[in-house]
Amino acid sequence: LKKVCKAYFQEFKWYHAGYIPTFEEYLKVALVTACYMMLSAISLVGMGEIVTKETFEWITSEPLMVKASSVVCRLMDDRVGHQFEQERGHVASAVESYIKEFGGSKQEAYAKFEKLVANGWRDINKECLYSAPAPRPVLMRVLNLTHVINLLYKDEDLYTNSKTKLKDIITKVLVEPFKT
């Protein structure tokens, strides 16, 4: 939570200064403000004895799987939500940072993000299959949170516009199976 607050403060300073950070500067801060890393750690609470001090140390050390999941989250969110965020007055997104630093169009930025998201998924899958030093249920928790992000931001921002398709998805998954 301390990391998130510091990162939000950095975004606040950028916004009020009218500063568009480099893509690298942006990602360093925005991967934290996406809150995925914090959510991953918080999601372990209540999992029982399988989660140890070492597990929390692993997940808070920003391992490859969690960092890759954060990249998936942030870039998918920025790709579908940046236009709305800019219209309402928000810190520059990955799109603006990328275009400012590398030039090109939104479409070129989107194409780059799609490659980075694909690389993120590859890293997540590799960690799940081969090398992550955490219990499998913990890895599955991180993986499933990333699947939720994928659902929320695949084609449009269902998180911000949750009264549209997201409401229908939740109803189909959680309510309809239990109707008598």
Side-chain angles (χ1 to χ4, degrees):
L1 187 56
K2 286 180 185 179
K3 286 180 184 178
V4 172
C5 290
K6 287 178 183 178
Y8 278 147
F9 185 60
Q10 182 60 58
E11 285 185 345
F12 168 83
K13 291 191 293 188
W14 288 342
Y15 176 76
H16 285 284
Y19 178 69
I20 299 176
T22 66
F23 189 63
E24 185 178 335
E25 286 176 313
Y26 173 80
L27 280 182
K28 184 177 179 183
V29 172
L31 292 182
V32 177
T33 61
C35 293
Y36 186 86
M37 289 185 248
M38 183 178 73
L39 182 60
S40 295
I42 290 170
S43 75
L44 303 184
V45 174
M47 286 185 72
E49 293 178 17
I50 195 162
V51 178
T52 63
K53 180 182 177 194
E54 290 77 22
T55 307
F56 275 107
E57 288 172 351
W58 172 79
I59 207 161
T60 58
S61 72
E62 300 179 15
L64 178 60
M65 182 175 189
V66 174
K67 194 160 193 154
S69 295
S70 297
V71 168
V72 169
C73 173
R74 173 46 62 201
L75 293 181
M76 288 185 75
D77 179 359
D78 280 2
R79 186 179 153 273
V80 298
H82 77 93
Q83 189 74 37
F84 173 73
E85 289 176 352
Q86 295 311 302
E87 289 170 4
R88 70 177 183 165
H90 198 271
V91 70
S93 74
V95 175
E96 288 78 30
S97 290
Y98 186 86
I99 291 171
K100 178 187 175 206
E101 184 171 353
F102 302 107
S105 66
K106 285 185 207 177
Q107 274 53 46
E108 290 170 322
Y110 295 164
K112 176 65 174 179
F113 298 170
E114 287 174 16
K115 288 178 185 176
L116 293 171
V117 166
N119 290 343
W121 277 111
R122 185 173 39 250
D123 289 341
I124 293 164
N125 290 331
K126 211 181 311 182
E127 290 287 291
C128 282
L129 293 172
Y130 303 114
S131 63
R136 189 133 191 91
V138 170
L139 300 177
M140 293 298 96
R141 182 69 52 105
V142 173
L143 175 64
N144 287 334
L145 287 169
T146 312
H147 282 297
V148 170
I149 297 302
N150 192 64
L151 171 73
L152 292 175
Y153 298 114
K154 184 164 179 71
D155 298 314
E156 60 185 296
D157 187 347
L158 295 180
Y159 180 78
T160 301
N161 304 305
S162 60
K163 293 181 181 177
T164 57
K165 293 179 186 175
L166 183 59
K167 182 179 177 185
D168 295 338
I169 292 167
I170 291 170
T171 301
K172 285 180 184 173
V173 172
L174 297 177
V175 176
E176 288 179 9
F178 299 104
K179 284 184 176 177
T180 55

mmCIF file of all heavy atoms in Angstrom, residues 77-91 93 96 106 110 157 159-161:
data_model
loop_
_atom_site.group_PDB
_atom_site.id
_atom_site.type_symbol
_atom_site.label_atom_id
_atom_site.label_comp_id
_atom_site.label_asym_id
_atom_site.label_seq_id
_atom_site.Cartn_x
_atom_site.Cartn_y
_atom_site.Cartn_z
ATOM 1 N N ASP A 77 -5.661 -2.164 -19.807
ATOM 2 C CA ASP A 77 -6.484 -1.078 -19.274
ATOM 3 C C ASP A 77 -6.225 0.214 -20.057
ATOM 4 O O ASP A 77 -7.161 0.872 -20.521
ATOM 5 C CB ASP A 77 -6.173 -0.889 -17.791
ATOM 6 C CG ASP A 77 -6.950 0.244 -17.135
ATOM 7 O OD1 ASP A 77 -7.734 0.933 -17.807
ATOM 8 O OD2 ASP A 77 -6.758 0.452 -15.929
ATOM 9 N N ASP A 78 -4.963 0.573 -20.224
ATOM 10 C CA ASP A 78 -4.637 1.822 -20.920
ATOM 11 C C ASP A 78 -5.087 1.799 -22.378
ATOM 12 O O ASP A 78 -5.512 2.821 -22.911
ATOM 13 C CB ASP A 78 -3.137 2.105 -20.851
ATOM 14 C CG ASP A 78 -2.725 2.708 -19.520
ATOM 15 O OD1 ASP A 78 -3.587 2.884 -18.636
ATOM 16 O OD2 ASP A 78 -1.531 2.991 -19.354
ATOM 17 N N ARG A 79 -4.989 0.656 -23.005
ATOM 18 C CA ARG A 79 -5.372 0.556 -24.406
ATOM 19 C C ARG A 79 -6.856 0.876 -24.594
ATOM 20 O O ARG A 79 -7.230 1.619 -25.496
ATOM 21 C CB ARG A 79 -5.070 -0.840 -24.956
ATOM 22 C CG ARG A 79 -5.297 -0.969 -26.433
ATOM 23 C CD ARG A 79 -4.954 -2.386 -26.908
ATOM 24 N NE ARG A 79 -5.714 -2.696 -28.077
ATOM 25 C CZ ARG A 79 -6.942 -3.208 -28.091
ATOM 26 N NH1 ARG A 79 -7.549 -3.503 -26.985
ATOM 27 N NH2 ARG A 79 -7.553 -3.449 -29.216
ATOM 28 N N VAL A 80 -7.707 0.344 -23.743
ATOM 29 C CA VAL A 80 -9.144 0.545 -23.945
ATOM 30 C C VAL A 80 -9.698 1.746 -23.183
ATOM 31 O O VAL A 80 -10.778 2.219 -23.512
ATOM 32 C CB VAL A 80 -9.974 -0.717 -23.579
ATOM 33 C CG1 VAL A 80 -9.592 -1.882 -24.470
ATOM 34 C CG2 VAL A 80 -9.839 -1.077 -22.116
ATOM 35 N N GLY A 81 -8.969 2.249 -22.185
ATOM 36 C CA GLY A 81 -9.515 3.309 -21.353
ATOM 37 C C GLY A 81 -8.888 4.666 -21.475
ATOM 38 O O GLY A 81 -9.385 5.634 -20.895
ATOM 39 N N HIS A 82 -7.803 4.787 -22.229
ATOM 40 C CA HIS A 82 -7.070 6.064 -22.229
ATOM 41 C C HIS A 82 -7.883 7.219 -22.791
ATOM 42 O O HIS A 82 -7.797 8.333 -22.277
ATOM 43 C CB HIS A 82 -5.721 5.929 -22.948
ATOM 44 C CG HIS A 82 -5.828 5.921 -24.427
ATOM 45 N ND1 HIS A 82 -5.706 7.058 -25.175
ATOM 46 C CD2 HIS A 82 -6.073 4.918 -25.292
ATOM 47 C CE1 HIS A 82 -5.853 6.745 -26.444
ATOM 48 N NE2 HIS A 82 -6.092 5.460 -26.537
ATOM 49 N N GLN A 83 -8.680 6.983 -23.809
ATOM 50 C CA GLN A 83 -9.446 8.077 -24.420
ATOM 51 C C GLN A 83 -10.402 8.694 -23.402
ATOM 52 O O GLN A 83 -10.436 9.909 -23.222
ATOM 53 C CB GLN A 83 -10.217 7.555 -25.634
ATOM 54 C CG GLN A 83 -10.849 8.646 -26.457
ATOM 55 C CD GLN A 83 -9.820 9.415 -27.276
ATOM 56 O OE1 GLN A 83 -8.862 8.837 -27.780
ATOM 57 N NE2 GLN A 83 -10.005 10.709 -27.392
ATOM 58 N N PHE A 84 -11.162 7.852 -22.721
ATOM 59 C CA PHE A 84 -12.107 8.327 -21.704
ATOM 60 C C PHE A 84 -11.374 9.041 -20.575
ATOM 61 O O PHE A 84 -11.795 10.100 -20.104
ATOM 62 C CB PHE A 84 -12.923 7.150 -21.156
ATOM 63 C CG PHE A 84 -13.801 7.511 -19.993
ATOM 64 C CD1 PHE A 84 -14.954 8.259 -20.179
ATOM 65 C CD2 PHE A 84 -13.464 7.117 -18.705
ATOM 66 C CE1 PHE A 84 -15.764 8.599 -19.109
ATOM 67 C CE2 PHE A 84 -14.261 7.455 -17.629
ATOM 68 C CZ PHE A 84 -15.414 8.200 -17.829
ATOM 69 N N GLU A 85 -10.247 8.464 -20.137
ATOM 70 C CA GLU A 85 -9.485 9.075 -19.040
ATOM 71 C C GLU A 85 -8.944 10.440 -19.429
ATOM 72 O O GLU A 85 -8.943 11.370 -18.621
ATOM 73 C CB GLU A 85 -8.359 8.135 -18.599
ATOM 74 C CG GLU A 85 -8.878 6.914 -17.869
ATOM 75 C CD GLU A 85 -7.795 5.918 -17.512
ATOM 76 O OE1 GLU A 85 -6.638 6.081 -17.956
ATOM 77 O OE2 GLU A 85 -8.119 4.967 -16.785
ATOM 78 N N GLN A 86 -8.496 10.595 -20.654
ATOM 79 C CA GLN A 86 -7.976 11.885 -21.093
ATOM 80 C C GLN A 86 -9.098 12.919 -21.194
ATOM 81 O O GLN A 86 -8.901 14.086 -20.876
ATOM 82 C CB GLN A 86 -7.236 11.750 -22.420
ATOM 83 C CG GLN A 86 -5.974 10.911 -22.344
ATOM 84 C CD GLN A 86 -5.067 11.311 -21.202
ATOM 85 O OE1 GLN A 86 -4.631 12.444 -21.109
ATOM 86 N NE2 GLN A 86 -4.782 10.378 -20.304
ATOM 87 N N GLU A 87 -10.262 12.485 -21.614
ATOM 88 C CA GLU A 87 -11.403 13.403 -21.727
ATOM 89 C C GLU A 87 -11.849 13.919 -20.360
ATOM 90 O O GLU A 87 -12.301 15.053 -20.246
ATOM 91 C CB GLU A 87 -12.572 12.705 -22.427
ATOM 92 C CG GLU A 87 -12.330 12.483 -23.899
ATOM 93 C CD GLU A 87 -13.366 11.575 -24.554
ATOM 94 O OE1 GLU A 87 -14.344 11.170 -23.872
ATOM 95 O OE2 GLU A 87 -13.189 11.259 -25.740
ATOM 96 N N ARG A 88 -11.724 13.107 -19.331
ATOM 97 C CA ARG A 88 -12.168 13.538 -18.001
ATOM 98 C C ARG A 88 -11.045 14.179 -17.188
ATOM 99 O O ARG A 88 -11.264 14.592 -16.062
ATOM 100 C CB ARG A 88 -12.797 12.381 -17.227
ATOM 101 C CG ARG A 88 -11.821 11.329 -16.795
ATOM 102 C CD ARG A 88 -12.495 10.255 -15.982
ATOM 103 N NE ARG A 88 -11.464 9.317 -15.554
ATOM 104 C CZ ARG A 88 -11.617 8.428 -14.629
ATOM 105 N NH1 ARG A 88 -12.760 8.323 -14.015
ATOM 106 N NH2 ARG A 88 -10.638 7.624 -14.309
ATOM 107 N N GLY A 89 -9.847 14.233 -17.730
ATOM 108 C CA GLY A 89 -8.718 14.854 -17.036
ATOM 109 C C GLY A 89 -7.990 13.848 -16.174
ATOM 110 O O GLY A 89 -8.363 13.612 -15.027
ATOM 111 N N HIS A 90 -6.996 13.233 -16.717
ATOM 112 C CA HIS A 90 -6.278 12.163 -16.036
ATOM 113 C C HIS A 90 -4.815 12.256 -16.442
ATOM 114 O O HIS A 90 -4.483 12.809 -17.477
ATOM 115 C CB HIS A 90 -6.879 10.810 -16.467
ATOM 116 C CG HIS A 90 -6.557 9.681 -15.565
ATOM 117 N ND1 HIS A 90 -5.448 8.906 -15.714
ATOM 118 C CD2 HIS A 90 -7.214 9.177 -14.486
ATOM 119 C CE1 HIS A 90 -5.432 7.970 -14.781
ATOM 120 N NE2 HIS A 90 -6.498 8.118 -14.020
ATOM 121 N N VAL A 91 -3.953 11.678 -15.623
ATOM 122 C CA VAL A 91 -2.528 11.631 -15.956
ATOM 123 C C VAL A 91 -2.351 10.920 -17.302
ATOM 124 O O VAL A 91 -3.181 10.100 -17.691
ATOM 125 C CB VAL A 91 -1.734 10.922 -14.828
ATOM 126 C CG1 VAL A 91 -2.047 9.446 -14.782
ATOM 127 C CG2 VAL A 91 -0.238 11.154 -14.965
ATOM 128 N N SER A 93 -1.513 8.393 -20.116
ATOM 129 C CA SER A 93 -1.527 6.928 -20.083
ATOM 130 C C SER A 93 -0.318 6.395 -20.851
ATOM 131 O O SER A 93 0.482 7.163 -21.402
ATOM 132 C CB SER A 93 -2.810 6.399 -20.720
ATOM 133 O OG SER A 93 -2.757 6.551 -22.132
ATOM 134 N N GLU A 96 -0.159 7.862 -24.458
ATOM 135 C CA GLU A 96 0.454 9.193 -24.619
ATOM 136 C C GLU A 96 1.962 9.136 -24.396
ATOM 137 O O GLU A 96 2.733 9.769 -25.134
ATOM 138 C CB GLU A 96 -0.196 10.201 -23.663
ATOM 139 C CG GLU A 96 -1.601 10.603 -24.056
ATOM 140 C CD GLU A 96 -2.661 9.569 -23.700
ATOM 141 O OE1 GLU A 96 -2.481 8.836 -22.700
ATOM 142 O OE2 GLU A 96 -3.665 9.484 -24.427
ATOM 143 N N LYS A 106 -1.726 6.041 -32.491
ATOM 144 C CA LYS A 106 -2.326 5.206 -31.449
ATOM 145 C C LYS A 106 -2.286 3.742 -31.871
ATOM 146 O O LYS A 106 -2.023 2.866 -31.054
ATOM 147 C CB LYS A 106 -3.790 5.613 -31.203
ATOM 148 C CG LYS A 106 -3.972 6.878 -30.443
ATOM 149 C CD LYS A 106 -5.470 7.071 -30.179
ATOM 150 C CE LYS A 106 -5.802 8.523 -30.033
ATOM 151 N NZ LYS A 106 -7.236 8.752 -29.854
ATOM 152 N N TYR A 110 -0.864 0.696 -29.838
ATOM 153 C CA TYR A 110 -1.679 -0.486 -29.514
ATOM 154 C C TYR A 110 -0.974 -1.768 -29.948
ATOM 155 O O TYR A 110 -0.985 -2.772 -29.225
ATOM 156 C CB TYR A 110 -3.039 -0.432 -30.207
ATOM 157 C CG TYR A 110 -3.959 0.680 -29.793
ATOM 158 C CD1 TYR A 110 -5.060 1.002 -30.577
ATOM 159 C CD2 TYR A 110 -3.757 1.420 -28.626
ATOM 160 C CE1 TYR A 110 -5.931 2.014 -30.223
ATOM 161 C CE2 TYR A 110 -4.621 2.445 -28.262
ATOM 162 C CZ TYR A 110 -5.711 2.735 -29.073
ATOM 163 O OH TYR A 110 -6.574 3.735 -28.721
ATOM 164 N N ASP A 157 -13.494 -1.172 -21.812
ATOM 165 C CA ASP A 157 -13.285 -1.007 -20.374
ATOM 166 C C ASP A 157 -14.551 -1.382 -19.610
ATOM 167 O O ASP A 157 -15.386 -0.535 -19.305
ATOM 168 C CB ASP A 157 -12.866 0.433 -20.075
ATOM 169 C CG ASP A 157 -12.462 0.652 -18.629
ATOM 170 O OD1 ASP A 157 -12.720 -0.231 -17.785
ATOM 171 O OD2 ASP A 157 -11.883 1.714 -18.347
ATOM 172 N N TYR A 159 -14.645 -2.456 -16.593
ATOM 173 C CA TYR A 159 -14.529 -2.052 -15.184
ATOM 174 C C TYR A 159 -15.147 -0.669 -14.984
ATOM 175 O O TYR A 159 -15.983 -0.472 -14.125
ATOM 176 C CB TYR A 159 -13.060 -2.064 -14.743
ATOM 177 C CG TYR A 159 -12.866 -1.658 -13.310
ATOM 178 C CD1 TYR A 159 -13.116 -2.547 -12.281
ATOM 179 C CD2 TYR A 159 -12.444 -0.374 -12.981
ATOM 180 C CE1 TYR A 159 -12.945 -2.186 -10.950
ATOM 181 C CE2 TYR A 159 -12.272 0.003 -11.656
ATOM 182 C CZ TYR A 159 -12.521 -0.901 -10.651
ATOM 183 O OH TYR A 159 -12.357 -0.542 -9.338
ATOM 184 N N THR A 160 -14.740 0.283 -15.803
ATOM 185 C CA THR A 160 -15.273 1.638 -15.694
ATOM 186 C C THR A 160 -16.743 1.673 -16.077
ATOM 187 O O THR A 160 -17.532 2.388 -15.473
ATOM 188 C CB THR A 160 -14.467 2.606 -16.589
ATOM 189 O OG1 THR A 160 -13.100 2.565 -16.172
ATOM 190 C CG2 THR A 160 -14.981 4.029 -16.479
ATOM 191 N N ASN A 161 -17.102 0.890 -17.071
ATOM 192 C CA ASN A 161 -18.481 0.853 -17.565
ATOM 193 C C ASN A 161 -19.167 -0.428 -17.097
ATOM 194 O O ASN A 161 -19.736 -1.167 -17.897
ATOM 195 C CB ASN A 161 -18.482 0.949 -19.095
ATOM 196 C CG ASN A 161 -17.750 2.173 -19.577
ATOM 197 O OD1 ASN A 161 -18.061 3.287 -19.181
ATOM 198 N ND2 ASN A 161 -16.748 1.985 -20.404
#
